[in-house]
Amino acid sequence: MSSNIKVPKKLIEVALPLDDINEAAAREKSIRHGHPSTLHLWWARRPLAAARAVIFAQMVNDPGGERGYYAGKTKKQADQEREKLFDIIRELVKWENTNNEAILNRAREVIWQSWRETCQLNKGKPGFDPEKLPAFHDPFAGGGALPLEAQRLGLESYASDLNPVAVMINKAMIEIPPKFVGRAPIGPIPPNEKQTHLHEDWSGAKGLAEDVRRYGHWMREEAFKRIGHLYPEIEITADIAKERPDLKGLVGQKLTVIAWLWVRTVKSPNPAFSHVDVPLASSFILSSKNGKEAWVEPIIEGDQYRFEVRTGKIPDGAKEGTKLSRGANFRCLISNTPIAGEHIKGEGKAGRMGQKLMAIVAEGKGSRVYLSPTQEMELIASQAKPEWMPEAEIAHDKRSMFTPLYGMTHFKHLFTSRQLVALNTLSDLVQEVRVKAIEDAKAAGILDDGKGLDQNGTGATAYGDALAIYLACALGKIANIGSSIATWMSDRGAFRETFARQAIPMTWDYAEANLFADAGGSFATAISKGVMAISHLPTNTSGKVFQANASLQNISQSKLVSTDPPYYDNIGYADLSDFFYVWLRRSLKPIYPSLFGTLAVPKEEELVANPYRHGSKEKAERFFMEGMTRAFHNLAEHAHPAFPVTIYYAFKQSETKDMSTISTGWETFLEAVLHADFSITGTWPMRTEGSGRLIAKDNNALASSIILVCQKRDQDAENTSRRQFQKELREKMPEALETMIGGAEGSTPIAPVDLAQAAIGPGMGIFSKYQAVLNQDGSPMSVHDALILINREITDYLNPDSGDFDNDTLFCSSWFDQYGWSTGPFGEADTLSRAKGTTVDGVKQAGVVESGGGKVKLKKWEDYPDDWDPKTDHRMPIWEALHHMIRTLNRKGEGEAGTLLARMPERGEHIRQLAYHLYTLCERKKWAEEARAYNELITSWHGIVSSSHEVGHKGTQNDLFE
């Protein structure tokens, strides 16, 4: 950072209402109506709530800073001002406030206030214009959440990515809507709909969204005229209903088919039946819903078989289908001969893997109807003859691309013939709609400059391009559900999409959706979801999107930067996005010829550590490290000096071992950041999966990303010694940890589950401010070793032995470390208790252990008495107080826990610190269930403290936080 630039510390470098952000981010995962993720799939999108909060806190000055309009204020005054900013964030992150202009304007005003104050400190310097906010840039834009939220907060937004699919998504989200803001729709109103009135609200992107709906309807009707015969209804005849009482009332009716359920087949390995194509069914269950159970019964007749659908109680064995065990292990339906994976792979590669219709799902009266397959339905499906197929090859990455192992080596192999015909038809119609929309726009009086979107046009031609892009996004949704990788979820009665996870798996039975049904997987559903997303997109400021390599781009020049780069080897975005690229290219190449100029997504420059692409794990790691270092160095050189750069990194709890953050991906990522001349001034864990208040049994479901807050390292930074680094850790880490676990007045302390990751920030802040930390032999200390030392300080700080805890608590903590809730020998307990300055009889008298028969055991919180009163307990170790608090919280809630705390407010700080220590101990030992109780107490702490005040604790709230 230039020494003559004066930059107030930003809120994100000091404090965040992390629990509120996490709660909103986790809740957002279940929201689909109007969410931009419903426009087009992208992998590992960051929640809008997290992106909005991070960018806001990245731009706003912290009230406790040494410079600016807060200078000279007391800690209490700074805390109060900070709490006001927290309140803005708490409202800002709520999904229902996504487009609440009153709340957004409040946030925008604070951003402007901070910016003008910063400009005042740097008056006359280039890049500090108090009348113009800096623009935003994300050089790894991906799914577009970050540039979208920057735009929503009032910043001109720039996005770039190497991947053309990501570029297309970002254009649809931030570049196109502002070009056509406030325009009334021009498309033909669907038949049987009332004419819209002149006073309709077409503000923002609502008119654009309405035109997508109208032209989407036209496109569906045109598609039905051309290929509707491939999607017939099914008539319920008396013969079909003969043994199905549930169908009696439907005889004579024609039902719309929702899905055809197919099973893959291979030749039987049994020589006697080698001519038979036997099914590879992972399950015969069609519906497991209570009262609506349905399954497939195979009827074997000699060397032939057929499928019949049954309803009622599901028999044993139906769940397994013909599967014998995990993976590609099945049995021959005719002979029970095991079918090994190698046989299936051989059949697939030889082109002998087939398919057989197993069941039909139709729309009944208010519920799904499951029907037996018919020869007519199989015959109609076989009549589909696609004129074009995507010839692009599927990547041979065995970690995430499984179909090539079974002969499905090209994208054309992932679709049935009928699916290919449907996608071809829709793809052709995208360009037909474009032509029609351009003519309709001209007829409606929209001027045409002849320039498309690629030439920055805003007239009729560009509008036709825009509609084509959104309709191509709907085509992508159809491909995602309309492939032979999509399956049927018997518990929900719905489709499981191709990308239910970040891979293309091999599926054995699959669900073929009806493009024209009024259900999931239909084109109408894809359009309606897209329309809702478009209508919610911001149009208040402009956006620009480019295809660019993050290492070489200069778009970041003098811009605020927040980015979500690839995570080491977690996701192969380029390989996965080829699935969509082949269809987007076919539909949109005339609009963006350079963007879709290659046959597949560019891969050589993609910053992912893929061993299969680079030849070895070591070469992949080196490629990632060097590429990320160049990209981050580019950001450090170009980003606006008034703001820190924020970088997201995917992080899993399983990467923490012995309280040391040991992970090749994590360490390599940090090394790249530091080698790029960044120093790290903060780390914030964002839990974007599940509830913020619970600790999952599977620790991998916890913190899913870390926000690194980075500043360009001082050009005059010096080296330091290992000893000096350790000295600074000992001096500064306790205060930083106390701020995190205590928090400002009124704020929620960081949950134990997040502490280890959040505490990396101040530790790495010390490490990264130096050019290098030198070991005794003069070699530079690695990030790996630095993290070990940082985590050791966290452990030492939380350990009761390093504080002023009572002797009984010290004994209980050490005993718990050795035995947990299990029984241990009295002799060991006696020795340990004496070493801790107490006795076994003493801790037994305190009511925290059971002792007898030569054995000693700690009492669980569930076994503590209900009528306990701290005022009358004459021997009350902190251990006992903590577990009474846990018992009360779990049995009676936050209110009663607050009442209990009000009777011992002087114990609050010690109770809280012990809870953190015991959580970290349990996490290290992988005692997830035991850890849950301590995590829940801390995440409830703010509510407990508030309840404590309500019932008569007369001190200040900081009595419980300091």
Side-chain angles (χ1 to χ4, degrees), residues 589-604:
K589 189 181 177 185
I591 298 174
Y592 289 109
S594 60
L595 185 63
F596 293 104
T598 56
L599 292 174
V601 171
K603 298 178 177 65
E604 291 305 312

Side-chain angles (χ1 to χ4, degrees), residues 105-124:
N105 280 331
R106 189 179 167 203
R108 292 165 188 157
E109 287 169 10
V110 173
I111 290 171
W112 269 104
Q113 183 182 15
S114 289
W115 173 240
R116 290 188 180 116
E117 191 233 11
T118 304
C119 289
Q120 183 64 32
L121 292 170
N122 296 278
K123 202 167 183 178

Side-chain angles (χ1 to χ4, degrees), residues 717-728:
E718 299 177 344
N719 295 339
T720 193
S721 67
R722 180 188 181 100
R723 178 176 294 182
Q724 178 62 26
F725 173 54
Q726 289 178 288
K727 180 175 180 289
E728 289 189 53

Side-chain angles (χ1 to χ4, degrees), residues 42 191 270 330 359 361 405 470 486 527 646 656 694 731 791 813 882-883 952:
W42 189 258
N270 187 317
F330 292 83
V361 187
L405 297 173
Y470 291 116
I527 289 292
T646 54
T656 300
L694 296 178
E731 290 173 351
N791 281 292
S813 176
L882 165 64
H883 290 88

Side-chain angles (χ1 to χ4, degrees), residues 1 12 69 71 78 87 90 94 102 175 193 205 261 348 354 415 488 516-517 541 620 631 733 763 946 961:
M1 184 183 297
I12 199 166
Y69 57 89
D87 282 341
R90 290 180 181 118
K94 293 177 181 176
E175 186 175 280
E193 285 190 16
L261 305 185
F415 303 92
W488 186 254
F516 304 106
T541 54
M733 284 293 287
S946 298
F961 286 121

Side-chain angles (χ1 to χ4, degrees), residues 251-499:
V251 173
Q253 294 187 27
K254 290 186 176 181
L255 306 182
T256 299
V257 175
I258 294 171
W260 292 269
L261 305 185
W262 299 83
V263 61
R264 300 192 200 277
T265 64
V266 294
K267 296 294 183 184
S268 173
N270 187 317
F273 301 99
S274 59
H275 59 290
V276 181
D277 294 307
V278 293
L280 306 175
S282 59
S283 176
F284 284 133
I285 297 177
L286 303 174
S287 173
S288 58
K289 289 185 176 181
N290 191 26
K292 296 181 179 179
E293 294 87 353
W295 78 96
V296 171
E297 181 182 358
I299 308 297
I300 301 171
E301 297 167 338
D303 62 354
Q304 301 295 316
Y305 65 92
R306 57 188 169 84
F307 295 125
E308 293 283 351
V309 170
R310 309 293 188 208
T311 58
K313 185 180 178 182
I314 298 173
D316 295 339
K319 183 178 181 180
E320 290 75 27
T322 60
K323 220 167 190 315
L324 289 178
S325 61
R326 240 183 113 142
N329 293 289
F330 292 83
R331 62 180 176 85
C332 170
L333 184 67
I334 308 294
S335 65
N336 266 334
T337 303
I339 308 176
E342 290 307 311
H343 176 79
I344 296 172
K345 289 175 184 176
E347 289 290 289
K349 290 175 180 178
R352 290 192 294 269
M353 188 177 286
Q355 61 281 322
K356 186 174 178 66
L357 187 60
M358 192 165 60
I360 297 167
V361 187
E363 189 64 70
K365 291 182 179 178
S367 64
R368 305 280 191 257
V369 174
Y370 296 89
L371 303 168
S372 300
T374 67
Q375 284 188 338
E376 180 190 11
M377 285 293 180
E378 285 212 52
L379 181 62
I380 290 171
S382 68
Q383 291 172 355
K385 305 296 180 186
E387 295 179 0
W388 180 87
M389 293 184 283
E391 297 291 345
E393 190 174 5
I394 298 170
H396 291 273
D397 185 353
K398 295 180 181 179
R399 302 169 309 157
S400 58
M401 303 295 198
F402 300 101
T403 62
L405 297 173
Y406 301 92
M408 298 167 66
T409 54
H410 292 68
F411 283 98
K412 65 183 179 181
H413 297 140
L414 302 185
F415 303 92
T416 68
S417 294
R418 179 160 50 188
Q419 288 171 336
L420 288 170
V421 168
L423 290 167
N424 280 347
T425 302
L426 293 174
S427 181
D428 292 340
L429 282 165
V430 166
Q431 280 302 316
E432 290 184 34
V433 164
R434 175 181 172 274
V435 173
K436 177 175 173 54
I438 292 171
E439 293 306 313
D440 290 345
K442 290 177 182 177
I446 295 176
L447 296 177
D448 189 29
D449 51 12
K451 294 180 179 178
L453 286 176
D454 205 26
Q455 292 82 43
N456 241 354
T458 57
T461 298
Y463 193 64
D465 288 352
L467 293 173
I469 286 163
Y470 291 116
L471 293 170
C473 287
L475 172 62
K477 293 184 72 66
I478 292 299
N480 189 26
I481 290 182
S483 84
S484 69
I485 305 302
T487 57
W488 186 254
M489 295 185 286
S490 60
D491 56 338
R492 301 183 191 179
F495 296 93
R496 178 183 286 108
E497 60 191 22
T498 301
F499 290 105

Side-chain angles (χ1 to χ4, degrees), residues 110 373 709 843 962:
V110 173
V709 185
V843 287
E962 296 183 348

